[in-house]
Amino acid sequence: MSPWQRLTQHLYWPQQRSASTNQSFTAMKRFVSLFLVGITLSLAVASCGQGITNNPAATPGSGSPAANKGNVELTLVSFAVTKAAHEAIIPKFVEQWQKEKGQTVTFNQSYGGSGSQTRAVIDGLEADIVHLALALDTAKIEKAGLIEPGWEKEVPNEGIVSKSVGAIVTREGNPKGIKTWEDLSKDGVKVITADPKTSGVARWNFLALWGSVVKTGGDETKALDFTSKVYKNVPILTKDAREATDVFFKQGQGDALINYENEILLAGEKGEKPTYTIPEVNVSIDNPIAIVDKNVDKHGTREVAEAFVKFLYTPEAQREFAKVGFRPVDATVAAEPEFVKKYAPIKTLFTAQDLGGWGDIQKKFFDDGAVFDKIQGSIRQ
């Protein structure tokens, strides 16, 4: 019998009860009923609040304006591959904030695919800060009215806090001799990549291929022909980058996998020894960070959220990004011998902005009926 059952049995079904105490017992019974209902509702609310966080140590509700002034809570929503960096950076910020402000900061942390994280925030996940794979996702949150226009002007580096480049992973010994993007278009080479219609990483992969032509003297006709040949060599388009990695490594499909450099370097830190190459013509995979204005104002967390975002640009934080595979956005950190050795030089580096910016890129390449759909249509013929 549970403690709740013993309590209610004792209160509701005593073996004897005199008529003189009946009225008092009835009042007691009503009080206990209301007490139990109150506890049940409190537990239910607490359970719902904790359901949106990946951090079980967080203190629910402490980020609200009415919270204890000695504590503050932030909710960070980020794309999956940043987890290792943030888990190293957050304790450093918490320690600094405690020393400077005397406040204890706890973090709710949520990691997943950039597109799904974006949808979750728009649908009601009350992120204070979003760190996403591409500016297109941040723009969607802005369009939903949660981020104020001009957010990228409020922080250093146009809001880009981490970056990477494209990498080509090959089989051990690189039996197909794959060294450049061009090699992926050759007959007999099977390429594994995700679908750019569903994956943010895959959009960067596509831009790396397209830009490798138009940023080295080729026109768009040549870019279309080359990119079509590469995707003709793709036996399966996975829904996201993680699935593409599993198809390549766990299922053993393909001769080459297109992925982020930081994913490959992080695998190396964990003891794996992937064979890969970093093409000299490459795209700068820029990841923006933004404060979700509507939510920080609701939670009363703007001051600490802004401080955390600024902290991510400090050399101390940038070194943590660099240790797990992200190229530093701080030039002084990038010039440190440890990271000069770690990151291969890029001869021709271009950005999404060089290709028109994400608004134009999405319409031109990835909307329904745009370039990528036409490429797929030609392959199926």
Side-chain angles (χ1 to χ4, degrees):
M1 181 180 293
S2 72
W4 294 114
Q5 289 173 322
R6 287 196 294 271
L7 175 62
T8 53
Q9 185 181 63
H10 174 72
L11 291 171
Y12 288 107
W13 294 283
Q15 293 178 357
Q16 294 181 342
R17 188 173 72 237
S18 67
S20 62
T21 61
N22 186 63
Q23 185 174 4
S24 298
F25 177 79
T26 300
M28 179 67 169
K29 183 169 66 176
R30 288 173 179 170
F31 170 78
V32 171
S33 297
L34 290 172
F35 176 74
L36 292 175
V37 169
I39 289 178
T40 302
L41 288 174
S42 297
L43 291 172
V45 169
S47 176
C48 291
Q50 292 171 344
I52 64 169
T53 176
N54 292 336
N55 180 6
T59 306
S62 63
S64 67
N68 186 324
K69 291 183 179 180
N71 300 291
V72 61
E73 181 181 283
L74 288 178
T75 296
L76 169 67
V77 174
S78 190
F79 64 109
V81 297
T82 64
K83 184 177 181 181
H86 282 302
E87 287 186 340
I89 293 168
I90 284 172
K92 296 178 183 293
F93 172 76
V94 170
E95 181 181 5
Q96 176 179 297
W97 190 257
Q98 176 68 44
K99 289 179 179 178
E100 292 181 356
K101 302 290 184 179
Q103 279 186 317
T104 299
V105 185
T106 56
F107 279 77
N108 289 328
Q109 299 169 62
S110 176
Y111 300 95
S114 188
S116 61
Q117 294 290 72
T118 299
R119 289 189 294 273
V121 172
I122 292 172
D123 290 343
L125 175 55
E126 293 190 0
D128 296 293
I129 301 164
V130 288
H131 183 189
L132 300 171
L134 61 163
L136 179 67
D137 288 337
T138 313
K140 291 177 181 177
I141 299 174
E142 178 184 333
K143 187 175 181 180
L146 299 175
I147 297 176
E148 293 294 328
W151 58 271
E152 67 277 12
K153 305 298 182 184
E154 302 298 322
V155 291
N157 203 41
E158 294 285 307
I160 304 304
V161 73
S162 61
K163 63 181 181 178
S164 190
V165 294
I168 303 172
V169 187
T170 61
R171 296 299 174 190
E172 186 176 356
N174 194 9
K176 293 292 180 77
I178 299 166
K179 297 180 179 180
T180 67
W181 300 119
E182 186 178 2
D183 291 334
L184 300 179
S185 68
K186 293 178 178 179
D187 292 340
V189 174
K190 298 300 181 185
V191 181
I192 303 299
T193 183
D195 188 345
K197 300 281 285 187
T198 59
S199 167
V201 173
R203 289 189 179 98
W204 285 114
N205 294 349
F206 181 96
L207 295 185
L209 296 169
W210 186 275
S212 70
V213 176
V214 299
K215 291 302 173 183
T216 56
D219 59 20
E220 293 204 341
T221 300
K222 290 183 179 179
L224 178 61
D225 179 64
F226 165 70
T227 309
S228 298
K229 287 180 179 178
V230 174
Y231 280 95
K232 189 177 181 179
N233 285 344
V234 177
I236 179 174
L237 284 169
T238 64
K239 67 179 180 180
D240 57 39
R242 182 62 58 194
E243 185 178 337
T245 300
D246 288 344
V247 166
F248 185 76
F249 286 108
K250 295 181 180 180
Q251 298 180 25
Q253 295 191 46
D255 302 301
L257 167 72
I258 309 176
N259 207 335
Y260 284 178
E261 177 190 45
N262 60 278
E263 278 275 81
I264 310 307
L265 293 177
L266 183 59
E269 294 291 334
K270 294 180 178 179
E272 299 176 24
K273 296 181 179 179
T275 301
Y276 70 98
T277 183
I278 306 296
E280 290 185 343
V281 179
N282 220 310
V283 62
S284 182
I285 299 171
D286 297 334
N287 317 131
I289 194 159
I291 290 171
V292 185
D293 295 288
K294 186 174 182 179
N295 292 338
V296 296
D297 289 340
K298 177 181 178 180
H299 302 157
T301 55
R302 179 175 290 278
E303 181 185 12
V304 67
E306 289 179 346
F308 178 68
V309 169
K310 290 179 181 178
F311 183 78
L312 293 180
Y313 289 94
T314 64
E316 185 177 16
Q318 283 295 305
R319 287 189 190 97
E320 296 302 330
F321 278 118
K323 288 176 184 178
V324 297
F326 290 96
R327 295 188 173 224
V329 300
D330 184 305
T332 59
V333 175
E336 293 177 5
E338 174 186 357
F339 303 125
V340 170
K341 181 179 179 180
K342 186 172 186 175
Y343 295 103
I346 305 298
K347 182 178 179 180
T348 302
L349 185 67
F350 57 91
T351 68
Q353 200 61 38
D354 293 332
L355 298 176
W358 275 107
D360 290 343
I361 287 170
Q362 178 65 28
K363 293 176 183 177
K364 181 176 181 178
F365 296 113
F366 307 124
D367 276 355
D368 291 343
V371 170
F372 184 74
D373 280 353
K374 291 177 180 177
I375 289 173
Q376 288 301 99
S378 67
I379 291 172
R380 288 192 292 265
Q381 289 180 354

PDB file of all heavy atoms in Angstrom, residues 56-85:
ATOM      1  N   PRO A  56      19.054  18.042 -16.573  1.00  0.00           N
ATOM      2  CA  PRO A  56      18.255  17.709 -15.404  1.00  0.00           C
ATOM      3  C   PRO A  56      18.641  18.481 -14.159  1.00  0.00           C
ATOM      4  O   PRO A  56      17.893  18.517 -13.201  1.00  0.00           O
ATOM      5  CB  PRO A  56      18.528  16.205 -15.217  1.00  0.00           C
ATOM      6  CG  PRO A  56      19.863  15.974 -15.839  1.00  0.00           C
ATOM      7  CD  PRO A  56      19.927  16.932 -16.983  1.00  0.00           C
ATOM      8  N   ALA A  57      19.799  19.122 -14.174  1.00  0.00           N
ATOM      9  CA  ALA A  57      20.238  19.869 -12.998  1.00  0.00           C
ATOM     10  C   ALA A  57      19.692  21.282 -12.962  1.00  0.00           C
ATOM     11  O   ALA A  57      19.857  21.997 -11.990  1.00  0.00           O
ATOM     12  CB  ALA A  57      21.769  19.923 -12.947  1.00  0.00           C
ATOM     13  N   ALA A  58      19.037  21.721 -14.037  1.00  0.00           N
ATOM     14  CA  ALA A  58      18.525  23.085 -14.092  1.00  0.00           C
ATOM     15  C   ALA A  58      17.437  23.285 -13.064  1.00  0.00           C
ATOM     16  O   ALA A  58      16.713  22.366 -12.696  1.00  0.00           O
ATOM     17  CB  ALA A  58      17.994  23.392 -15.486  1.00  0.00           C
ATOM     18  N   THR A  59      17.289  24.534 -12.580  1.00  0.00           N
ATOM     19  CA  THR A  59      16.273  24.863 -11.607  1.00  0.00           C
ATOM     20  C   THR A  59      15.075  25.467 -12.316  1.00  0.00           C
ATOM     21  O   THR A  59      15.134  26.597 -12.788  1.00  0.00           O
ATOM     22  CB  THR A  59      16.822  25.894 -10.596  1.00  0.00           C
ATOM     23  OG1 THR A  59      18.037  25.377 -10.050  1.00  0.00           O
ATOM     24  CG2 THR A  59      15.830  26.151  -9.486  1.00  0.00           C
ATOM     25  N   PRO A  60      13.938  24.742 -12.426  1.00  0.00           N
ATOM     26  CA  PRO A  60      12.802  25.233 -13.198  1.00  0.00           C
ATOM     27  C   PRO A  60      12.302  26.566 -12.691  1.00  0.00           C
ATOM     28  O   PRO A  60      12.127  26.761 -11.493  1.00  0.00           O
ATOM     29  CB  PRO A  60      11.746  24.132 -13.004  1.00  0.00           C
ATOM     30  CG  PRO A  60      12.534  22.905 -12.645  1.00  0.00           C
ATOM     31  CD  PRO A  60      13.700  23.403 -11.880  1.00  0.00           C
ATOM     32  N   GLY A  61      12.098  27.465 -13.601  1.00  0.00           N
ATOM     33  CA  GLY A  61      11.464  28.731 -13.297  1.00  0.00           C
ATOM     34  C   GLY A  61      12.367  29.801 -12.744  1.00  0.00           C
ATOM     35  O   GLY A  61      11.951  30.929 -12.541  1.00  0.00           O
ATOM     36  N   SER A  62      13.636  29.481 -12.487  1.00  0.00           N
ATOM     37  CA  SER A  62      14.495  30.463 -11.832  1.00  0.00           C
ATOM     38  C   SER A  62      14.869  31.618 -12.722  1.00  0.00           C
ATOM     39  O   SER A  62      15.433  32.590 -12.267  1.00  0.00           O
ATOM     40  CB  SER A  62      15.771  29.777 -11.319  1.00  0.00           C
ATOM     41  OG  SER A  62      16.517  29.258 -12.395  1.00  0.00           O
ATOM     42  N   GLY A  63      14.550  31.555 -14.041  1.00  0.00           N
ATOM     43  CA  GLY A  63      14.891  32.637 -14.940  1.00  0.00           C
ATOM     44  C   GLY A  63      13.805  33.677 -15.061  1.00  0.00           C
ATOM     45  O   GLY A  63      13.944  34.636 -15.791  1.00  0.00           O
ATOM     46  N   SER A  64      12.670  33.484 -14.381  1.00  0.00           N
ATOM     47  CA  SER A  64      11.571  34.436 -14.499  1.00  0.00           C
ATOM     48  C   SER A  64      11.879  35.686 -13.703  1.00  0.00           C
ATOM     49  O   SER A  64      12.694  35.678 -12.784  1.00  0.00           O
ATOM     50  CB  SER A  64      10.278  33.796 -13.971  1.00  0.00           C
ATOM     51  OG  SER A  64      10.382  33.592 -12.578  1.00  0.00           O
ATOM     52  N   PRO A  65      11.178  36.809 -14.040  1.00  0.00           N
ATOM     53  CA  PRO A  65      11.433  38.052 -13.324  1.00  0.00           C
ATOM     54  C   PRO A  65      11.188  37.930 -11.826  1.00  0.00           C
ATOM     55  O   PRO A  65      11.786  38.637 -11.031  1.00  0.00           O
ATOM     56  CB  PRO A  65      10.457  39.037 -13.983  1.00  0.00           C
ATOM     57  CG  PRO A  65      10.226  38.468 -15.350  1.00  0.00           C
ATOM     58  CD  PRO A  65      10.278  36.995 -15.171  1.00  0.00           C
ATOM     59  N   ALA A  66      10.281  37.006 -11.442  1.00  0.00           N
ATOM     60  CA  ALA A  66       9.944  36.868 -10.032  1.00  0.00           C
ATOM     61  C   ALA A  66      10.858  35.892  -9.310  1.00  0.00           C
ATOM     62  O   ALA A  66      10.707  35.617  -8.129  1.00  0.00           O
ATOM     63  CB  ALA A  66       8.489  36.401  -9.892  1.00  0.00           C
ATOM     64  N   ALA A  67      11.838  35.344 -10.017  1.00  0.00           N
ATOM     65  CA  ALA A  67      12.713  34.322  -9.443  1.00  0.00           C
ATOM     66  C   ALA A  67      13.631  34.924  -8.377  1.00  0.00           C
ATOM     67  O   ALA A  67      13.826  36.121  -8.278  1.00  0.00           O
ATOM     68  CB  ALA A  67      13.542  33.668 -10.531  1.00  0.00           C
ATOM     69  N   ASN A  68      14.211  34.019  -7.593  1.00  0.00           N
ATOM     70  CA  ASN A  68      15.199  34.420  -6.607  1.00  0.00           C
ATOM     71  C   ASN A  68      16.309  35.229  -7.283  1.00  0.00           C
ATOM     72  O   ASN A  68      16.897  34.789  -8.254  1.00  0.00           O
ATOM     73  CB  ASN A  68      15.785  33.148  -5.969  1.00  0.00           C
ATOM     74  CG  ASN A  68      16.722  33.464  -4.816  1.00  0.00           C
ATOM     75  OD1 ASN A  68      17.446  34.447  -4.842  1.00  0.00           O
ATOM     76  ND2 ASN A  68      16.700  32.609  -3.803  1.00  0.00           N
ATOM     77  N   LYS A  69      16.596  36.401  -6.747  1.00  0.00           N
ATOM     78  CA  LYS A  69      17.579  37.271  -7.389  1.00  0.00           C
ATOM     79  C   LYS A  69      18.981  36.669  -7.386  1.00  0.00           C
ATOM     80  O   LYS A  69      19.848  37.123  -8.112  1.00  0.00           O
ATOM     81  CB  LYS A  69      17.575  38.644  -6.705  1.00  0.00           C
ATOM     82  CG  LYS A  69      16.300  39.436  -6.967  1.00  0.00           C
ATOM     83  CD  LYS A  69      16.361  40.815  -6.336  1.00  0.00           C
ATOM     84  CE  LYS A  69      15.096  41.606  -6.622  1.00  0.00           C
ATOM     85  NZ  LYS A  69      15.139  42.954  -6.020  1.00  0.00           N
ATOM     86  N   GLY A  70      19.209  35.661  -6.551  1.00  0.00           N
ATOM     87  CA  GLY A  70      20.511  35.029  -6.525  1.00  0.00           C
ATOM     88  C   GLY A  70      20.693  33.977  -7.601  1.00  0.00           C
ATOM     89  O   GLY A  70      21.777  33.436  -7.746  1.00  0.00           O
ATOM     90  N   ASN A  71      19.656  33.674  -8.341  1.00  0.00           N
ATOM     91  CA  ASN A  71      19.723  32.640  -9.370  1.00  0.00           C
ATOM     92  C   ASN A  71      19.070  33.126 -10.659  1.00  0.00           C
ATOM     93  O   ASN A  71      18.126  33.910 -10.636  1.00  0.00           O
ATOM     94  CB  ASN A  71      19.007  31.368  -8.901  1.00  0.00           C
ATOM     95  CG  ASN A  71      19.609  30.792  -7.633  1.00  0.00           C
ATOM     96  OD1 ASN A  71      20.712  30.296  -7.651  1.00  0.00           O
ATOM     97  ND2 ASN A  71      18.867  30.892  -6.540  1.00  0.00           N
ATOM     98  N   VAL A  72      19.593  32.635 -11.769  1.00  0.00           N
ATOM     99  CA  VAL A  72      18.988  32.954 -13.060  1.00  0.00           C
ATOM    100  C   VAL A  72      19.171  31.745 -13.976  1.00  0.00           C
ATOM    101  O   VAL A  72      20.179  31.042 -13.894  1.00  0.00           O
ATOM    102  CB  VAL A  72      19.625  34.227 -13.681  1.00  0.00           C
ATOM    103  CG1 VAL A  72      21.106  34.031 -13.933  1.00  0.00           C
ATOM    104  CG2 VAL A  72      18.902  34.643 -14.950  1.00  0.00           C
ATOM    105  N   GLU A  73      18.185  31.500 -14.796  1.00  0.00           N
ATOM    106  CA  GLU A  73      18.218  30.347 -15.690  1.00  0.00           C
ATOM    107  C   GLU A  73      18.150  30.795 -17.142  1.00  0.00           C
ATOM    108  O   GLU A  73      17.362  31.676 -17.494  1.00  0.00           O
ATOM    109  CB  GLU A  73      17.028  29.433 -15.397  1.00  0.00           C
ATOM    110  CG  GLU A  73      16.976  28.173 -16.258  1.00  0.00           C
ATOM    111  CD  GLU A  73      15.757  27.338 -15.932  1.00  0.00           C
ATOM    112  OE1 GLU A  73      15.770  26.644 -14.901  1.00  0.00           O
ATOM    113  OE2 GLU A  73      14.781  27.402 -16.695  1.00  0.00           O
ATOM    114  N   LEU A  74      18.994  30.189 -17.977  1.00  0.00           N
ATOM    115  CA  LEU A  74      18.973  30.442 -19.412  1.00  0.00           C
ATOM    116  C   LEU A  74      18.672  29.150 -20.160  1.00  0.00           C
ATOM    117  O   LEU A  74      19.137  28.081 -19.759  1.00  0.00           O
ATOM    118  CB  LEU A  74      20.325  30.978 -19.898  1.00  0.00           C
ATOM    119  CG  LEU A  74      20.706  32.407 -19.529  1.00  0.00           C
ATOM    120  CD1 LEU A  74      22.104  32.715 -20.070  1.00  0.00           C
ATOM    121  CD2 LEU A  74      19.702  33.404 -20.081  1.00  0.00           C
ATOM    122  N   THR A  75      17.932  29.270 -21.242  1.00  0.00           N
ATOM    123  CA  THR A  75      17.683  28.130 -22.112  1.00  0.00           C
ATOM    124  C   THR A  75      18.427  28.352 -23.422  1.00  0.00           C
ATOM    125  O   THR A  75      18.152  29.304 -24.148  1.00  0.00           O
ATOM    126  CB  THR A  75      16.179  27.940 -22.383  1.00  0.00           C
ATOM    127  OG1 THR A  75      15.525  27.636 -21.149  1.00  0.00           O
ATOM    128  CG2 THR A  75      15.944  26.789 -23.355  1.00  0.00           C
ATOM    129  N   LEU A  76      19.385  27.474 -23.695  1.00  0.00           N
ATOM    130  CA  LEU A  76      20.195  27.522 -24.910  1.00  0.00           C
ATOM    131  C   LEU A  76      19.739  26.412 -25.850  1.00  0.00           C
ATOM    132  O   LEU A  76      19.751  25.240 -25.480  1.00  0.00           O
ATOM    133  CB  LEU A  76      21.675  27.342 -24.566  1.00  0.00           C
ATOM    134  CG  LEU A  76      22.636  27.115 -25.740  1.00  0.00           C
ATOM    135  CD1 LEU A  76      22.728  28.366 -26.612  1.00  0.00           C
ATOM    136  CD2 LEU A  76      24.019  26.706 -25.230  1.00  0.00           C
ATOM    137  N   VAL A  77      19.349  26.791 -27.055  1.00  0.00           N
ATOM    138  CA  VAL A  77      18.943  25.825 -28.077  1.00  0.00           C
ATOM    139  C   VAL A  77      19.956  25.899 -29.209  1.00  0.00           C
ATOM    140  O   VAL A  77      20.177  26.961 -29.791  1.00  0.00           O
ATOM    141  CB  VAL A  77      17.520  26.122 -28.585  1.00  0.00           C
ATOM    142  CG1 VAL A  77      17.160  25.215 -29.752  1.00  0.00           C
ATOM    143  CG2 VAL A  77      16.505  25.939 -27.453  1.00  0.00           C
ATOM    144  N   SER A  78      20.589  24.770 -29.532  1.00  0.00           N
ATOM    145  CA  SER A  78      21.688  24.790 -30.481  1.00  0.00           C
ATOM    146  C   SER A  78      21.638  23.567 -31.387  1.00  0.00           C
ATOM    147  O   SER A  78      20.911  22.611 -31.117  1.00  0.00           O
ATOM    148  CB  SER A  78      23.016  24.837 -29.728  1.00  0.00           C
ATOM    149  OG  SER A  78      24.104  25.087 -30.606  1.00  0.00           O
ATOM    150  N   PHE A  79      22.414  23.628 -32.476  1.00  0.00           N
ATOM    151  CA  PHE A  79      22.464  22.470 -33.368  1.00  0.00           C
ATOM    152  C   PHE A  79      23.442  21.443 -32.803  1.00  0.00           C
ATOM    153  O   PHE A  79      24.363  21.768 -32.045  1.00  0.00           O
ATOM    154  CB  PHE A  79      22.778  22.862 -34.805  1.00  0.00           C
ATOM    155  CG  PHE A  79      24.114  23.483 -35.067  1.00  0.00           C
ATOM    156  CD1 PHE A  79      25.100  22.791 -35.758  1.00  0.00           C
ATOM    157  CD2 PHE A  79      24.390  24.784 -34.672  1.00  0.00           C
ATOM    158  CE1 PHE A  79      26.326  23.372 -36.036  1.00  0.00           C
ATOM    159  CE2 PHE A  79      25.617  25.381 -34.941  1.00  0.00           C
ATOM    160  CZ  PHE A  79      26.583  24.669 -35.618  1.00  0.00           C
ATOM    161  N   ALA A  80      23.252  20.190 -33.186  1.00  0.00           N
ATOM    162  CA  ALA A  80      23.794  19.057 -32.434  1.00  0.00           C
ATOM    163  C   ALA A  80      25.293  19.102 -32.202  1.00  0.00           C
ATOM    164  O   ALA A  80      25.768  18.826 -31.093  1.00  0.00           O
ATOM    165  CB  ALA A  80      23.412  17.752 -33.134  1.00  0.00           C
ATOM    166  N   VAL A  81      26.064  19.461 -33.236  1.00  0.00           N
ATOM    167  CA  VAL A  81      27.511  19.278 -33.146  1.00  0.00           C
ATOM    168  C   VAL A  81      28.216  20.332 -32.290  1.00  0.00           C
ATOM    169  O   VAL A  81      29.431  20.265 -32.114  1.00  0.00           O
ATOM    170  CB  VAL A  81      28.149  19.226 -34.549  1.00  0.00           C
ATOM    171  CG1 VAL A  81      27.637  18.032 -35.322  1.00  0.00           C
ATOM    172  CG2 VAL A  81      27.896  20.509 -35.326  1.00  0.00           C
ATOM    173  N   THR A  82      27.474  21.274 -31.731  1.00  0.00           N
ATOM    174  CA  THR A  82      28.081  22.275 -30.842  1.00  0.00           C
ATOM    175  C   THR A  82      28.110  21.822 -29.388  1.00  0.00           C
ATOM    176  O   THR A  82      28.665  22.509 -28.529  1.00  0.00           O
ATOM    177  CB  THR A  82      27.323  23.613 -30.911  1.00  0.00           C
ATOM    178  OG1 THR A  82      25.990  23.414 -30.412  1.00  0.00           O
ATOM    179  CG2 THR A  82      27.276  24.141 -32.326  1.00  0.00           C
ATOM    180  N   LYS A  83      27.508  20.694 -29.094  1.00  0.00           N
ATOM    181  CA  LYS A  83      27.331  20.277 -27.697  1.00  0.00           C
ATOM    182  C   LYS A  83      28.651  20.211 -26.933  1.00  0.00           C
ATOM    183  O   LYS A  83      28.761  20.727 -25.813  1.00  0.00           O
ATOM    184  CB  LYS A  83      26.623  18.923 -27.644  1.00  0.00           C
ATOM    185  CG  LYS A  83      26.315  18.464 -26.220  1.00  0.00           C
ATOM    186  CD  LYS A  83      25.542  17.147 -26.219  1.00  0.00           C
ATOM    187  CE  LYS A  83      25.237  16.725 -24.780  1.00  0.00           C
ATOM    188  NZ  LYS A  83      24.505  15.435 -24.736  1.00  0.00           N
ATOM    189  N   ALA A  84      29.662  19.582 -27.528  1.00  0.00           N
ATOM    190  CA  ALA A  84      30.939  19.436 -26.832  1.00  0.00           C
ATOM    191  C   ALA A  84      31.549  20.785 -26.488  1.00  0.00           C
ATOM    192  O   ALA A  84      32.110  20.967 -25.395  1.00  0.00           O
ATOM    193  CB  ALA A  84      31.913  18.625 -27.699  1.00  0.00           C
ATOM    194  N   ALA A  85      31.438  21.745 -27.396  1.00  0.00           N
ATOM    195  CA  ALA A  85      31.993  23.074 -27.139  1.00  0.00           C
ATOM    196  C   ALA A  85      31.243  23.778 -26.014  1.00  0.00           C
ATOM    197  O   ALA A  85      31.854  24.312 -25.076  1.00  0.00           O
ATOM    198  CB  ALA A  85      31.950  23.914 -28.414  1.00  0.00           C
TER     199      ALA A  85
END
